[in-house]
Each structure stands twice: as C-alpha cells, then as structure tokens.
Amino acid sequence: MVKQHFSHVRHWVFDLDNTLYPPAARLFDQIERKMTDFVMRITGADHGEADTLRKTYWHLHGTTLAGLMAEHKIDPEAYLEEVHDITFDALTPDPHLAELITALPGRKIVYTNGSAPYAAQVLRARGLDAAFDAIYGVEHAGYRPKPEEGAFRAVFALDGTDPTQAAMFEDDPRNLAAPHAMGMRTVHVAPERGEGDHIQHHTDDLGSFLRGLR
C-alpha cells in the first residue's frame, strides 16, 4: 500500500542529522554544546541564558545560525566551521542502508541545515557517501534555513529537483510543511509521529521503510 504512493518518485531528498543516523547516536548533542558556547561568546550571556537563546533562535528563525545572523550579524562560515568541529566516533557504517538508498530509482541527494562539508563527514562515517548524487547544506540556500520554502526552492533549483516527482525524508516535522505544499511525498523519520496533514508517512526505522518500497 505504501509503495504505490512512491511509484512516481524520481528525486529522493534526505535530511541528515537524526535521519541518516539514529538519534541514539546523540551526535547533535556535541553541536548544540558548541552552539551554546558560540552564543555565550557573541552575546556575553552566561551558559544558561545562552542555551535558552540558542533554542529561542532555533524556534523563531529556523536555525540558531539564522537567529545569530539576524540579531548579531555574525559570519556564517566561521560559525558553521566551529560548531561542526566534532568527533564522529558514535557513528557506525550501515551497508544495508547504503544498499537500500542506492537502489532507489532516480536521483538521491542530502539537504541539511548544517554545512555540506559536515554532511560529507557524517556520510563517510556511515558508509553512505557513495549512495548519494549530491550534498547540499544551508550555504547552498544563501544561509536561509529549512523550514523556509524559499530555501527549499533554492536548493531544488540548483539540483534540478522536480517537487512533483520527489519525496522528502526529515526528522523535524516543521521542515516537511513546505515540501508538502510543493507537492512532495513527505516522510517523518522519528521515534514518534509529528502532528499535521503535511506529514503523509512516518517511520522510526528508515531502513525498514525503504525496504517496503522495493
């Protein structure tokens, strides 16, 4: 039943963090700590205030980076390099997932609110780098973040993605609203299903879901 909903899909778009690796790896914890440290240094806030501000920027602007750019005019390149300077020891290769993604008919890309160089490191650690045709980071959308529809359109224009023949896999439910409005099939990859009509499918196991499309 699910498979028939994807018979038209020839463009497969995957988020990165907590989508192409399990949330239990807690990789983003390292990034959040570095984000908070950055906010402390830029604003002069103490740790608790900076952590709250980091979350507020994420909520209001889509990413902490977008909030820092809007409120403090920071250099996004320096920020992205600093917060993504982490270890990848928690990640393990997943050759079966690589096989499943490779077997999907059409073009496969990664689109993340992180940077493309960071995404490349994650994919290498997961053994997924050969499965994708391209990687796009927030820099490819002019540092505009998901969930902005303009950010999606900028990346899709670069890659030649046709939303009416595309599917989006994403752990953050708010980042599926624009893809759904653009005509994409949407898959929420998370332990619990998010709310909203813009979420058409849900899975807590990406590999299992992709096996069902074969």
Side-chain angles (χ1 to χ4, degrees), residues 105-138:
R107 186 167 174 82
K108 283 82 68 173
I109 67 171
V110 171
Y111 173 30
T112 175
N113 269 341
S115 69
Y118 160 72
Q121 289 180 283
V122 172
L123 294 180
R124 281 195 296 271
R126 290 286 282 153
L128 301 177
D129 43 334
F132 289 98
D133 297 296
I135 301 170
Y136 296 96
V138 67

PDB file of all heavy atoms in Angstrom, residues 105-138:
ATOM      1  N   PRO A 105      15.032   4.351  -7.320  1.00  0.00           N
ATOM      2  CA  PRO A 105      15.087   4.774  -8.720  1.00  0.00           C
ATOM      3  C   PRO A 105      15.168   6.296  -8.857  1.00  0.00           C
ATOM      4  O   PRO A 105      14.307   7.011  -8.357  1.00  0.00           O
ATOM      5  CB  PRO A 105      13.760   4.253  -9.286  1.00  0.00           C
ATOM      6  CG  PRO A 105      12.837   4.241  -8.107  1.00  0.00           C
ATOM      7  CD  PRO A 105      13.688   3.900  -6.919  1.00  0.00           C
ATOM      8  N   GLY A 106      16.219   6.773  -9.485  1.00  0.00           N
ATOM      9  CA  GLY A 106      16.342   8.201  -9.699  1.00  0.00           C
ATOM     10  C   GLY A 106      17.496   8.812  -8.930  1.00  0.00           C
ATOM     11  O   GLY A 106      18.448   8.138  -8.541  1.00  0.00           O
ATOM     12  N   ARG A 107      17.384  10.095  -8.682  1.00  0.00           N
ATOM     13  CA  ARG A 107      18.467  10.870  -8.081  1.00  0.00           C
ATOM     14  C   ARG A 107      18.272  10.980  -6.571  1.00  0.00           C
ATOM     15  O   ARG A 107      17.160  11.245  -6.090  1.00  0.00           O
ATOM     16  CB  ARG A 107      18.506  12.260  -8.717  1.00  0.00           C
ATOM     17  CG  ARG A 107      19.679  13.141  -8.286  1.00  0.00           C
ATOM     18  CD  ARG A 107      19.791  14.349  -9.188  1.00  0.00           C
ATOM     19  NE  ARG A 107      20.816  15.288  -8.731  1.00  0.00           N
ATOM     20  CZ  ARG A 107      22.119  15.147  -8.976  1.00  0.00           C
ATOM     21  NH1 ARG A 107      22.555  14.106  -9.671  1.00  0.00           N
ATOM     22  NH2 ARG A 107      22.990  16.047  -8.532  1.00  0.00           N
ATOM     23  N   LYS A 108      19.365  10.812  -5.835  1.00  0.00           N
ATOM     24  CA  LYS A 108      19.328  10.877  -4.372  1.00  0.00           C
ATOM     25  C   LYS A 108      20.245  11.995  -3.884  1.00  0.00           C
ATOM     26  O   LYS A 108      21.415  12.025  -4.261  1.00  0.00           O
ATOM     27  CB  LYS A 108      19.783   9.553  -3.751  1.00  0.00           C
ATOM     28  CG  LYS A 108      18.739   8.460  -3.792  1.00  0.00           C
ATOM     29  CD  LYS A 108      18.664   7.728  -5.110  1.00  0.00           C
ATOM     30  CE  LYS A 108      19.892   6.900  -5.389  1.00  0.00           C
ATOM     31  NZ  LYS A 108      19.761   6.047  -6.600  1.00  0.00           N
ATOM     32  N   ILE A 109      19.697  12.896  -3.041  1.00  0.00           N
ATOM     33  CA  ILE A 109      20.514  13.979  -2.510  1.00  0.00           C
ATOM     34  C   ILE A 109      20.297  14.109  -1.003  1.00  0.00           C
ATOM     35  O   ILE A 109      19.281  13.669  -0.464  1.00  0.00           O
ATOM     36  CB  ILE A 109      20.207  15.336  -3.187  1.00  0.00           C
ATOM     37  CG1 ILE A 109      18.795  15.830  -2.842  1.00  0.00           C
ATOM     38  CG2 ILE A 109      20.406  15.246  -4.692  1.00  0.00           C
ATOM     39  CD1 ILE A 109      18.516  17.262  -3.311  1.00  0.00           C
ATOM     40  N   VAL A 110      21.271  14.716  -0.354  1.00  0.00           N
ATOM     41  CA  VAL A 110      21.149  15.107   1.051  1.00  0.00           C
ATOM     42  C   VAL A 110      20.993  16.617   1.096  1.00  0.00           C
ATOM     43  O   VAL A 110      21.717  17.356   0.421  1.00  0.00           O
ATOM     44  CB  VAL A 110      22.400  14.681   1.855  1.00  0.00           C
ATOM     45  CG1 VAL A 110      22.374  15.290   3.254  1.00  0.00           C
ATOM     46  CG2 VAL A 110      22.498  13.166   1.928  1.00  0.00           C
ATOM     47  N   TYR A 111      20.029  17.071   1.884  1.00  0.00           N
ATOM     48  CA  TYR A 111      19.831  18.511   2.088  1.00  0.00           C
ATOM     49  C   TYR A 111      19.702  18.747   3.584  1.00  0.00           C
ATOM     50  O   TYR A 111      18.745  18.310   4.212  1.00  0.00           O
ATOM     51  CB  TYR A 111      18.607  18.997   1.332  1.00  0.00           C
ATOM     52  CG  TYR A 111      18.230  20.436   1.624  1.00  0.00           C
ATOM     53  CD1 TYR A 111      19.197  21.387   1.968  1.00  0.00           C
ATOM     54  CD2 TYR A 111      16.906  20.855   1.548  1.00  0.00           C
ATOM     55  CE1 TYR A 111      18.849  22.701   2.241  1.00  0.00           C
ATOM     56  CE2 TYR A 111      16.553  22.172   1.807  1.00  0.00           C
ATOM     57  CZ  TYR A 111      17.526  23.086   2.158  1.00  0.00           C
ATOM     58  OH  TYR A 111      17.177  24.386   2.436  1.00  0.00           O
ATOM     59  N   THR A 112      20.674  19.473   4.160  1.00  0.00           N
ATOM     60  CA  THR A 112      20.743  19.684   5.590  1.00  0.00           C
ATOM     61  C   THR A 112      20.830  21.161   5.930  1.00  0.00           C
ATOM     62  O   THR A 112      21.315  21.963   5.127  1.00  0.00           O
ATOM     63  CB  THR A 112      21.974  18.950   6.184  1.00  0.00           C
ATOM     64  OG1 THR A 112      22.104  19.268   7.568  1.00  0.00           O
ATOM     65  CG2 THR A 112      23.250  19.342   5.468  1.00  0.00           C
ATOM     66  N   ASN A 113      20.368  21.509   7.129  1.00  0.00           N
ATOM     67  CA  ASN A 113      20.570  22.855   7.652  1.00  0.00           C
ATOM     68  C   ASN A 113      21.976  23.036   8.200  1.00  0.00           C
ATOM     69  O   ASN A 113      22.346  24.141   8.602  1.00  0.00           O
ATOM     70  CB  ASN A 113      19.549  23.169   8.757  1.00  0.00           C
ATOM     71  CG  ASN A 113      18.286  23.817   8.216  1.00  0.00           C
ATOM     72  OD1 ASN A 113      18.262  24.348   7.107  1.00  0.00           O
ATOM     73  ND2 ASN A 113      17.223  23.771   9.007  1.00  0.00           N
ATOM     74  N   GLY A 114      22.755  21.974   8.256  1.00  0.00           N
ATOM     75  CA  GLY A 114      24.172  22.073   8.554  1.00  0.00           C
ATOM     76  C   GLY A 114      24.926  22.428   7.285  1.00  0.00           C
ATOM     77  O   GLY A 114      24.332  22.796   6.265  1.00  0.00           O
ATOM     78  N   SER A 115      26.240  22.313   7.335  1.00  0.00           N
ATOM     79  CA  SER A 115      27.043  22.623   6.152  1.00  0.00           C
ATOM     80  C   SER A 115      27.292  21.365   5.325  1.00  0.00           C
ATOM     81  O   SER A 115      27.268  20.249   5.854  1.00  0.00           O
ATOM     82  CB  SER A 115      28.386  23.233   6.561  1.00  0.00           C
ATOM     83  OG  SER A 115      29.196  22.254   7.205  1.00  0.00           O
ATOM     84  N   ALA A 116      27.556  21.558   4.048  1.00  0.00           N
ATOM     85  CA  ALA A 116      27.842  20.417   3.178  1.00  0.00           C
ATOM     86  C   ALA A 116      29.122  19.680   3.589  1.00  0.00           C
ATOM     87  O   ALA A 116      29.137  18.445   3.575  1.00  0.00           O
ATOM     88  CB  ALA A 116      27.911  20.877   1.723  1.00  0.00           C
ATOM     89  N   PRO A 117      30.213  20.370   3.963  1.00  0.00           N
ATOM     90  CA  PRO A 117      31.407  19.635   4.408  1.00  0.00           C
ATOM     91  C   PRO A 117      31.137  18.773   5.644  1.00  0.00           C
ATOM     92  O   PRO A 117      31.658  17.649   5.750  1.00  0.00           O
ATOM     93  CB  PRO A 117      32.413  20.750   4.719  1.00  0.00           C
ATOM     94  CG  PRO A 117      31.995  21.878   3.840  1.00  0.00           C
ATOM     95  CD  PRO A 117      30.504  21.816   3.822  1.00  0.00           C
ATOM     96  N   TYR A 118      30.346  19.284   6.567  1.00  0.00           N
ATOM     97  CA  TYR A 118      29.967  18.492   7.744  1.00  0.00           C
ATOM     98  C   TYR A 118      29.165  17.274   7.320  1.00  0.00           C
ATOM     99  O   TYR A 118      29.411  16.150   7.780  1.00  0.00           O
ATOM    100  CB  TYR A 118      29.176  19.353   8.718  1.00  0.00           C
ATOM    101  CG  TYR A 118      28.347  18.570   9.699  1.00  0.00           C
ATOM    102  CD1 TYR A 118      28.953  17.862  10.735  1.00  0.00           C
ATOM    103  CD2 TYR A 118      26.958  18.519   9.589  1.00  0.00           C
ATOM    104  CE1 TYR A 118      28.190  17.125  11.634  1.00  0.00           C
ATOM    105  CE2 TYR A 118      26.190  17.793  10.489  1.00  0.00           C
ATOM    106  CZ  TYR A 118      26.810  17.099  11.503  1.00  0.00           C
ATOM    107  OH  TYR A 118      26.058  16.370  12.391  1.00  0.00           O
ATOM    108  N   ALA A 119      28.198  17.473   6.427  1.00  0.00           N
ATOM    109  CA  ALA A 119      27.376  16.362   5.954  1.00  0.00           C
ATOM    110  C   ALA A 119      28.235  15.285   5.300  1.00  0.00           C
ATOM    111  O   ALA A 119      27.995  14.088   5.490  1.00  0.00           O
ATOM    112  CB  ALA A 119      26.317  16.862   4.980  1.00  0.00           C
ATOM    113  N   ALA A 120      29.242  15.703   4.551  1.00  0.00           N
ATOM    114  CA  ALA A 120      30.124  14.733   3.897  1.00  0.00           C
ATOM    115  C   ALA A 120      30.853  13.868   4.918  1.00  0.00           C
ATOM    116  O   ALA A 120      31.040  12.661   4.712  1.00  0.00           O
ATOM    117  CB  ALA A 120      31.122  15.464   3.003  1.00  0.00           C
ATOM    118  N   GLN A 121      31.250  14.463   6.037  1.00  0.00           N
ATOM    119  CA  GLN A 121      31.920  13.700   7.086  1.00  0.00           C
ATOM    120  C   GLN A 121      30.976  12.680   7.715  1.00  0.00           C
ATOM    121  O   GLN A 121      31.368  11.536   7.989  1.00  0.00           O
ATOM    122  CB  GLN A 121      32.453  14.650   8.164  1.00  0.00           C
ATOM    123  CG  GLN A 121      33.627  15.494   7.716  1.00  0.00           C
ATOM    124  CD  GLN A 121      34.108  16.402   8.839  1.00  0.00           C
ATOM    125  OE1 GLN A 121      33.487  17.425   9.140  1.00  0.00           O
ATOM    126  NE2 GLN A 121      35.201  16.033   9.473  1.00  0.00           N
ATOM    127  N   VAL A 122      29.735  13.089   7.945  1.00  0.00           N
ATOM    128  CA  VAL A 122      28.749  12.170   8.507  1.00  0.00           C
ATOM    129  C   VAL A 122      28.501  11.005   7.557  1.00  0.00           C
ATOM    130  O   VAL A 122      28.473   9.837   7.970  1.00  0.00           O
ATOM    131  CB  VAL A 122      27.429  12.903   8.812  1.00  0.00           C
ATOM    132  CG1 VAL A 122      26.340  11.908   9.212  1.00  0.00           C
ATOM    133  CG2 VAL A 122      27.628  13.927   9.913  1.00  0.00           C
ATOM    134  N   LEU A 123      28.336  11.302   6.287  1.00  0.00           N
ATOM    135  CA  LEU A 123      28.066  10.250   5.309  1.00  0.00           C
ATOM    136  C   LEU A 123      29.234   9.276   5.203  1.00  0.00           C
ATOM    137  O   LEU A 123      29.019   8.057   5.075  1.00  0.00           O
ATOM    138  CB  LEU A 123      27.763  10.860   3.945  1.00  0.00           C
ATOM    139  CG  LEU A 123      26.477  11.683   3.847  1.00  0.00           C
ATOM    140  CD1 LEU A 123      26.303  12.226   2.431  1.00  0.00           C
ATOM    141  CD2 LEU A 123      25.265  10.865   4.257  1.00  0.00           C
ATOM    142  N   ARG A 124      30.450   9.782   5.268  1.00  0.00           N
ATOM    143  CA  ARG A 124      31.612   8.881   5.236  1.00  0.00           C
ATOM    144  C   ARG A 124      31.616   7.963   6.450  1.00  0.00           C
ATOM    145  O   ARG A 124      31.888   6.766   6.332  1.00  0.00           O
ATOM    146  CB  ARG A 124      32.912   9.688   5.164  1.00  0.00           C
ATOM    147  CG  ARG A 124      33.241  10.222   3.784  1.00  0.00           C
ATOM    148  CD  ARG A 124      34.679  10.683   3.684  1.00  0.00           C
ATOM    149  NE  ARG A 124      34.956  11.809   4.569  1.00  0.00           N
ATOM    150  CZ  ARG A 124      34.803  13.079   4.229  1.00  0.00           C
ATOM    151  NH1 ARG A 124      34.350  13.386   3.013  1.00  0.00           N
ATOM    152  NH2 ARG A 124      35.099  14.051   5.079  1.00  0.00           N
ATOM    153  N   ALA A 125      31.326   8.529   7.619  1.00  0.00           N
ATOM    154  CA  ALA A 125      31.319   7.730   8.841  1.00  0.00           C
ATOM    155  C   ALA A 125      30.223   6.668   8.813  1.00  0.00           C
ATOM    156  O   ALA A 125      30.368   5.599   9.416  1.00  0.00           O
ATOM    157  CB  ALA A 125      31.138   8.635  10.050  1.00  0.00           C
ATOM    158  N   ARG A 126      29.149   6.944   8.097  1.00  0.00           N
ATOM    159  CA  ARG A 126      28.044   5.990   7.994  1.00  0.00           C
ATOM    160  C   ARG A 126      28.179   5.060   6.799  1.00  0.00           C
ATOM    161  O   ARG A 126      27.371   4.147   6.604  1.00  0.00           O
ATOM    162  CB  ARG A 126      26.717   6.762   7.880  1.00  0.00           C
ATOM    163  CG  ARG A 126      26.306   7.463   9.143  1.00  0.00           C
ATOM    164  CD  ARG A 126      25.796   6.463  10.175  1.00  0.00           C
ATOM    165  NE  ARG A 126      24.437   6.046   9.879  1.00  0.00           N
ATOM    166  CZ  ARG A 126      23.906   4.874  10.240  1.00  0.00           C
ATOM    167  NH1 ARG A 126      24.632   3.982  10.884  1.00  0.00           N
ATOM    168  NH2 ARG A 126      22.646   4.584   9.958  1.00  0.00           N
ATOM    169  N   GLY A 127      29.192   5.300   5.963  1.00  0.00           N
ATOM    170  CA  GLY A 127      29.372   4.473   4.778  1.00  0.00           C
ATOM    171  C   GLY A 127      28.294   4.716   3.741  1.00  0.00           C
ATOM    172  O   GLY A 127      27.981   3.830   2.940  1.00  0.00           O
ATOM    173  N   LEU A 128      27.743   5.933   3.727  1.00  0.00           N
ATOM    174  CA  LEU A 128      26.642   6.266   2.819  1.00  0.00           C
ATOM    175  C   LEU A 128      27.048   7.215   1.704  1.00  0.00           C
ATOM    176  O   LEU A 128      26.220   7.570   0.862  1.00  0.00           O
ATOM    177  CB  LEU A 128      25.488   6.913   3.612  1.00  0.00           C
ATOM    178  CG  LEU A 128      24.871   6.097   4.747  1.00  0.00           C
ATOM    179  CD1 LEU A 128      23.803   6.935   5.464  1.00  0.00           C
ATOM    180  CD2 LEU A 128      24.266   4.802   4.236  1.00  0.00           C
ATOM    181  N   ASP A 129      28.302   7.640   1.679  1.00  0.00           N
ATOM    182  CA  ASP A 129      28.704   8.690   0.739  1.00  0.00           C
ATOM    183  C   ASP A 129      28.502   8.293  -0.716  1.00  0.00           C
ATOM    184  O   ASP A 129      28.115   9.123  -1.541  1.00  0.00           O
ATOM    185  CB  ASP A 129      30.150   9.131   0.990  1.00  0.00           C
ATOM    186  CG  ASP A 129      31.100   7.975   1.249  1.00  0.00           C
ATOM    187  OD1 ASP A 129      30.651   6.925   1.724  1.00  0.00           O
ATOM    188  OD2 ASP A 129      32.301   8.135   0.978  1.00  0.00           O
ATOM    189  N   ALA A 130      28.727   7.024  -1.045  1.00  0.00           N
ATOM    190  CA  ALA A 130      28.590   6.594  -2.435  1.00  0.00           C
ATOM    191  C   ALA A 130      27.133   6.442  -2.858  1.00  0.00           C
ATOM    192  O   ALA A 130      26.842   6.314  -4.052  1.00  0.00           O
ATOM    193  CB  ALA A 130      29.334   5.282  -2.656  1.00  0.00           C
ATOM    194  N   ALA A 131      26.220   6.472  -1.901  1.00  0.00           N
ATOM    195  CA  ALA A 131      24.802   6.264  -2.208  1.00  0.00           C
ATOM    196  C   ALA A 131      24.121   7.519  -2.737  1.00  0.00           C
ATOM    197  O   ALA A 131      23.026   7.434  -3.302  1.00  0.00           O
ATOM    198  CB  ALA A 131      24.062   5.763  -0.970  1.00  0.00           C
ATOM    199  N   PHE A 132      24.762   8.683  -2.562  1.00  0.00           N
ATOM    200  CA  PHE A 132      24.114   9.941  -2.921  1.00  0.00           C
ATOM    201  C   PHE A 132      24.795  10.608  -4.110  1.00  0.00           C
ATOM    202  O   PHE A 132      26.005  10.516  -4.287  1.00  0.00           O
ATOM    203  CB  PHE A 132      24.116  10.883  -1.716  1.00  0.00           C
ATOM    204  CG  PHE A 132      23.180  10.441  -0.625  1.00  0.00           C
ATOM    205  CD1 PHE A 132      23.652   9.728   0.474  1.00  0.00           C
ATOM    206  CD2 PHE A 132      21.833  10.701  -0.720  1.00  0.00           C
ATOM    207  CE1 PHE A 132      22.791   9.295   1.464  1.00  0.00           C
ATOM    208  CE2 PHE A 132      20.954  10.284   0.267  1.00  0.00           C
ATOM    209  CZ  PHE A 132      21.433   9.571   1.361  1.00  0.00           C
ATOM    210  N   ASP A 133      23.968  11.312  -4.877  1.00  0.00           N
ATOM    211  CA  ASP A 133      24.463  12.018  -6.056  1.00  0.00           C
ATOM    212  C   ASP A 133      24.975  13.410  -5.728  1.00  0.00           C
ATOM    213  O   ASP A 133      25.798  13.951  -6.474  1.00  0.00           O
ATOM    214  CB  ASP A 133      23.338  12.127  -7.095  1.00  0.00           C
ATOM    215  CG  ASP A 133      22.879  10.765  -7.580  1.00  0.00           C
ATOM    216  OD1 ASP A 133      23.682  10.054  -8.202  1.00  0.00           O
ATOM    217  OD2 ASP A 133      21.712  10.402  -7.313  1.00  0.00           O
ATOM    218  N   ALA A 134      24.492  14.009  -4.634  1.00  0.00           N
ATOM    219  CA  ALA A 134      24.914  15.368  -4.280  1.00  0.00           C
ATOM    220  C   ALA A 134      24.573  15.649  -2.820  1.00  0.00           C
ATOM    221  O   ALA A 134      23.708  14.992  -2.229  1.00  0.00           O
ATOM    222  CB  ALA A 134      24.238  16.407  -5.177  1.00  0.00           C
ATOM    223  N   ILE A 135      25.286  16.616  -2.267  1.00  0.00           N
ATOM    224  CA  ILE A 135      25.058  17.072  -0.902  1.00  0.00           C
ATOM    225  C   ILE A 135      24.842  18.582  -0.936  1.00  0.00           C
ATOM    226  O   ILE A 135      25.630  19.312  -1.549  1.00  0.00           O
ATOM    227  CB  ILE A 135      26.264  16.767   0.012  1.00  0.00           C
ATOM    228  CG1 ILE A 135      26.567  15.268   0.044  1.00  0.00           C
ATOM    229  CG2 ILE A 135      26.016  17.288   1.425  1.00  0.00           C
ATOM    230  CD1 ILE A 135      27.890  14.955   0.729  1.00  0.00           C
ATOM    231  N   TYR A 136      23.787  19.040  -0.260  1.00  0.00           N
ATOM    232  CA  TYR A 136      23.512  20.471  -0.170  1.00  0.00           C
ATOM    233  C   TYR A 136      23.371  20.864   1.296  1.00  0.00           C
ATOM    234  O   TYR A 136      22.684  20.192   2.073  1.00  0.00           O
ATOM    235  CB  TYR A 136      22.230  20.828  -0.925  1.00  0.00           C
ATOM    236  CG  TYR A 136      22.354  20.566  -2.404  1.00  0.00           C
ATOM    237  CD1 TYR A 136      21.896  19.374  -2.957  1.00  0.00           C
ATOM    238  CD2 TYR A 136      22.948  21.507  -3.240  1.00  0.00           C
ATOM    239  CE1 TYR A 136      22.028  19.115  -4.318  1.00  0.00           C
ATOM    240  CE2 TYR A 136      23.086  21.262  -4.605  1.00  0.00           C
ATOM    241  CZ  TYR A 136      22.628  20.064  -5.130  1.00  0.00           C
ATOM    242  OH  TYR A 136      22.770  19.815  -6.474  1.00  0.00           O
ATOM    243  N   GLY A 137      24.045  21.958   1.651  1.00  0.00           N
ATOM    244  CA  GLY A 137      23.954  22.491   3.000  1.00  0.00           C
ATOM    245  C   GLY A 137      23.236  23.822   3.001  1.00  0.00           C
ATOM    246  O   GLY A 137      22.805  24.337   1.960  1.00  0.00           O
ATOM    247  N   VAL A 138      23.143  24.408   4.194  1.00  0.00           N
ATOM    248  CA  VAL A 138      22.458  25.682   4.337  1.00  0.00           C
ATOM    249  C   VAL A 138      23.123  26.773   3.495  1.00  0.00           C
ATOM    250  O   VAL A 138      22.467  27.723   3.053  1.00  0.00           O
ATOM    251  CB  VAL A 138      22.403  26.093   5.833  1.00  0.00           C
ATOM    252  CG1 VAL A 138      23.786  26.398   6.375  1.00  0.00           C
ATOM    253  CG2 VAL A 138      21.447  27.247   6.062  1.00  0.00           C
TER     254      VAL A 138
END
